[in-house]
Amino acid sequence: MKDKVYIFDTTLRDGEQSPGCSMNAQEKLEVAQALARLEVDVIEAGFPISSPGDFQAVHRIAETVGRKGSHAPQICGLARCIKSDIDACWNAVKPARHPRIHTFLATSDVHMKFKLKMSPQQVLDRAIEMVKHASKYTKNVEFSPEDAVRSNLDFLCNVVESVIAAGATTVNIPDTVGYSVPAEFGQLIKSLFERVPNIHKAVISVHCHNDLGLAVSNSLAAVLSGARQVECTINGLGERAGNASLEEVVMTLKTRQDLFRAATSVNTREIYRSSRLVSQITGVAVQPNKAIVGRNAFSHSSGIHQDGMIKNRTTYEIMDPKDVGFEESSLLITARSGRNGLNSRIKHLGFELNETELKETFEKFKTLADKKKYVFDDDLISLLSEGKSARQDAYMLEYLNTSSGTATVPTATVRLKKGEKVLQEAACGDGPVDAAYKAIDKIVNLDITLEDYTLRAISSGKDAMGEVSVRLDYNGTKMQGRGTSTDIIEASAKAYLSALNRILAGKHSGGRGKKEIKDKV
C-alpha cells in the first residue's frame, strides 16, 4: 500500500516572486487551469492582501478552477499572522469548493530578532491566536514556521505542537533560505515526528528553496522521513535560485516507487505541456539540460547511446518520454553518432540503403558532421539526394519570396523541386510564414495540420542563424521537422518541408503505420 504524497503547487505565489516573472490575472488563470489538468492537490494562487490585483486573481481562480468538478483542486491563499491578512485571504479563496488558508510566522532567532522584533513567547502566542482565527473560517488551515531549518529545535517542536492543537491541519516546514542538506533536513522531519506528540493529527509538509541546488533532494529526504506534502513549482521557479521543481519531485516518486513507497495523484502526461506554458508566460526559458522537461532530457547524441536506444529504449532511459508529455525520444545526429544511429534516422525519413550505400553515406555524413554542430533532416535529405538512393518524391525548396508590412497583405511565392519537376504556387496568409505554408500546402495538396512551431537563435550577432522546429499532423501521423537559416522565413519553410517529406516517406514506404514510424526514432 503506497502512501499519498500531496502536491502543493506554489508557481502562482512563490514562483511569481522570481524577478521578471509577474503575471497578470488572465495569465494566472491560464496557469491555474494547466495545474488543474495536471491534477495537483493544492494550488497556492497568490497572496491576496498584497494587492487588489492579486486578490482578484485568487478570487477568480477560486470561483472558476476551484469549482470544476468533484475533484477540483484546493485553492489556497497566503497570509501573514495578521487578522486583516487572514480575513482578506478567506474572502479571496472562499468561492472554491475546497478553500485553504495558509498563514506563516518566522521562528528562527535571526528572523525574530531582526525582522519581527518579537520574543519567542510573543511569536508562539501570535501563531496560536492567528491559527485559531483562521480556523473560524475553515478547517483547512496550514501554518508555516518560516525559516524552520535555522530555528531552535525545542522551540520549533513547541510551535508545531501548539498550532496543531489550535487547529492547523497542515504544518509546513520550510527551508526558507535553502540552507539545509538532505541528511540534516530528513533528520529534522524525523525529529519532529519523534518529539511532537500530536503530529499525526496534521499533514507534515515541506517547502525547500534551491540556494544550494538541493531543494528537490531535501524534499525527497523529507518524504522518506514521513512528510506527506511537498510544496513545489513548475520549472523550479521561485525566489532567488527557486523552489523544488514539481516535475523532478513527481517523476522521482513515480520512477523510484521501490524506494519511496509513496505516490502522487499528478497526471504526469501534462507535465511538459505545463512547463512550456509557464515558460512562455513568464519568458523564462527552460535550460536545455533541465531534468524531465529540458529540450535534451530525452535526446541522445552519443553513438553508443543511440545504438542502445535503437535496440531497447530502457538501456539509456529510465522514464518513458510519453509519461511526461513528450512525443518521443530524439536521436540527435552529430559527429558522435554511429552507423546505427544514422541508419535509424535515414529509415525514419523513408529511405532504405543497402550496406554499400550506407557506408558511402556514412563517410559523407562524417565529413558534414565535422563542420556542423547538428545534422538536421534537411541536411540528410540533401546528402541522400546526391546518390542513387534518393527518393524522387522528396520536395526541395528552390525559390521563396515573401512580402509583408503594416499596410500589405502578407503573400508568398514558393517554388519546389520534386525530382525533375518544378512546382510553384503563391498564397496569402496571416503573416509571411503562414503565407509560405499555405503556398506549400497548395503544391502538395495534403490536409496537413501545424501543431507546434518554435523559433530560436542558435548563434549570436546580426547574422544569427535561426532554427525553426515544427510538428505536423497528417491523419494522426505526427512528424517533427527542423530548418535553419539566417532568414527565419526560409528556416520556417525548410522545417515545414522537412516534416512534410518525412510524412510522405512514411506514406509511400510500403504502408508503414503511425506506430511503426514513431518507433523508428
Side-chain angles (χ1 to χ4, degrees):
M1 181 73 176
K2 298 184 181 71
D3 284 349
K4 167 74 179 284
V5 174
Y6 295 90
I7 295 299
F8 177 111
D9 184 276
T10 185
T11 303
L12 295 175
R13 201 276 300 169
D14 203 328
E16 199 207 15
Q17 291 174 203
S18 298
C21 290
S22 61
M23 309 175 209
N24 60 37
Q26 181 57 37
E27 290 169 336
K28 277 197 162 194
L29 180 60
E30 286 183 51
V31 173
Q33 290 168 338
L35 294 172
R37 290 192 298 269
L38 197 57
E39 298 180 26
V40 302
D41 299 288
V42 186
I43 297 174
E44 188 169 48
F47 197 166
I49 197 69
S50 64
S51 72
D54 212 38
F55 178 94
Q56 290 300 327
V58 175
H59 190 272
R60 188 177 178 191
I61 290 168
E63 65 184 2
T64 54
V65 177
R67 295 198 62 80
K68 284 188 175 179
S70 58
H71 299 291
Q74 298 178 46
I75 304 300
C76 178
L78 186 67
R80 294 168 297 181
C81 273
I82 300 172
K83 280 188 176 181
S84 57
D85 276 40
I86 292 170
D87 294 342
C89 182
W90 172 246
N91 287 327
V93 302
K94 67 181 179 181
R97 194 180 301 276
H98 308 291
R100 177 184 290 197
I101 295 173
H102 178 193
T103 188
F104 70 98
L105 189 63
T107 55
S108 67
D109 290 342
V110 64
H111 276 243
M112 289 190 291
K113 179 179 179 180
F114 294 106
K115 186 181 79 170
L116 300 178
K117 301 187 185 303
M118 294 171 67
S119 69
Q121 188 61 50
Q122 287 174 317
V123 166
L124 178 62
D125 292 343
R126 174 74 65 84
I128 294 169
E129 180 188 3
M130 290 301 104
V131 168
K132 286 181 176 179
H133 182 65
S135 298
K136 293 176 183 177
Y137 291 122
T138 175
K139 298 303 179 186
N140 192 358
V141 176
E142 177 172 339
F143 177 80
S144 289
E146 186 184 6
D147 203 22
V149 162
R150 296 192 295 173
S151 300
N152 175 275
L153 181 57
D154 291 335
F155 180 59
L156 180 63
C157 289
N158 191 10
V159 170
V160 172
E161 180 181 356
S162 298
V163 296
I164 293 173
T169 50
T170 301
V171 178
N172 176 51
I173 309 300
D175 184 9
T176 304
V177 293
Y179 180 71
S180 197
V181 297
E184 177 186 49
F185 194 63
Q187 182 58 50
L188 172 61
I189 301 302
K190 185 178 179 182
S191 295
L192 289 173
F193 274 99
E194 292 172 346
R195 297 179 57 174
V196 176
N198 61 352
I199 197 166
H200 296 288
K201 293 182 179 180
V203 173
I204 300 303
S205 174
V206 291
H207 179 117
C208 298
H209 277 263
N210 205 40
D211 297 70
L212 294 176
L214 296 171
V216 170
S217 297
N218 286 337
S219 298
L220 294 170
V223 171
L224 287 172
S225 293
R228 285 300 176 262
Q229 177 177 284
V230 176
E231 306 196 357
C232 43
T233 61
I234 301 293
N235 299 335
L237 289 179
E239 289 271 14
R240 304 181 309 281
N243 290 284
S245 164
L246 179 148
E247 54 274 9
E248 294 175 27
V249 170
V250 168
M251 291 310 295
T252 299
L253 292 174
K254 181 181 177 72
T255 304
R256 295 305 312 274
Q257 290 185 12
D258 60 315
L259 175 63
F260 290 94
R261 301 192 181 281
T264 74
S265 299
V266 169
N267 177 8
T268 63
R269 289 176 178 265
E270 289 289 332
I271 284 177
Y272 183 64
R273 180 182 176 188
S274 302
S275 169
R276 289 287 300 274
L277 175 66
V278 170
S279 178
Q280 290 166 1
I281 286 178
T282 61
V284 177
V286 177
Q287 67 193 64
N289 63 327
K290 169 76 168 65
I292 317 300
V293 293
R295 189 175 65 249
N296 295 344
F298 296 97
S299 297
H300 308 267
S301 65
S302 162
I304 294 171
H305 287 219
Q306 290 180 352
D307 181 58
M309 282 289 295
I310 291 166
K311 292 171 179 173
N312 189 300
R313 181 187 61 77
T314 60
T315 54
Y316 286 101
E317 283 186 351
I318 59 172
M319 294 171 283
D320 189 332
K322 295 183 180 66
D323 282 347
V324 299
F326 268 93
E327 283 292 325
E328 54 192 16
S329 302
S330 174
L331 303 186
L332 299 177
I333 305 302
T334 70
R336 295 184 299 278
S337 297
R339 284 167 58 107
N340 279 354
L342 176 65
N343 196 31
S344 175
R345 176 58 67 180
I346 288 171
K347 287 181 178 179
H348 187 66
L349 293 172
F351 296 89
E352 294 289 342
L353 306 185
N354 60 37
E355 281 299 314
T356 301
E357 291 169 337
L358 178 60
K359 181 180 178 182
E360 293 174 355
T361 302
F362 185 67
E363 290 173 357
K364 293 177 183 178
F365 157 75
K366 280 295 187 182
T367 301
L368 178 63
D370 283 336
K371 300 176 183 178
K372 298 191 64 174
K373 188 173 182 181
Y374 295 114
V375 178
F376 298 109
D377 291 339
D378 279 341
D379 300 315
L380 289 178
I381 290 171
S382 178
L383 197 69
L384 291 164
S385 66
E386 295 174 4
K388 294 180 181 180
S389 59
R391 291 195 61 91
Q392 293 302 304
D393 57 356
Y395 288 96
M396 308 298 292
L397 181 65
E398 189 168 84
Y399 172 82
L400 170 66
N401 182 63
T402 62
S403 63
S404 64
T406 56
T408 304
V409 176
T411 60
T413 301
V414 177
R415 185 185 304 146
L416 304 181
K417 191 170 183 181
K418 181 183 180 185
E420 298 301 318
K421 294 181 181 179
V422 176
L423 305 156
Q424 182 171 304
E425 282 288 355
C428 299
D430 294 330
V433 173
D434 184 50
Y437 286 177
K438 286 179 177 176
I440 293 172
D441 287 343
K442 279 187 177 182
I443 294 173
V444 301
N445 193 30
L446 289 175
D447 186 17
I448 301 291
T449 300
L450 176 65
E451 287 199 335
D452 188 57
Y453 176 97
T454 304
L455 168 66
R456 73 181 184 98
I458 56 175
S459 57
S460 58
K462 293 181 179 179
D463 59 347
M465 290 284 286
E467 176 191 297
V468 172
S469 300
V470 301
R471 183 170 70 246
L472 305 185
D473 179 278
Y474 173 68
N475 290 341
T477 296
K478 302 177 190 295
M479 286 294 180
Q480 299 281 143
R482 293 187 182 88
T484 58
S485 175
T486 53
D487 182 329
I488 62 172
I489 312 301
E490 182 184 1
S492 300
K494 286 182 174 180
Y496 198 81
L497 286 173
S498 170
L500 177 64
N501 283 325
R502 292 169 69 184
I503 287 173
L504 291 172
K507 185 170 179 282
H508 299 301
S509 61
R512 280 191 300 174
K514 173 183 174 185
K515 181 179 186 301
E516 189 175 355
I517 290 172
K518 296 180 84 171
D519 285 349
K520 291 293 184 182
V521 178

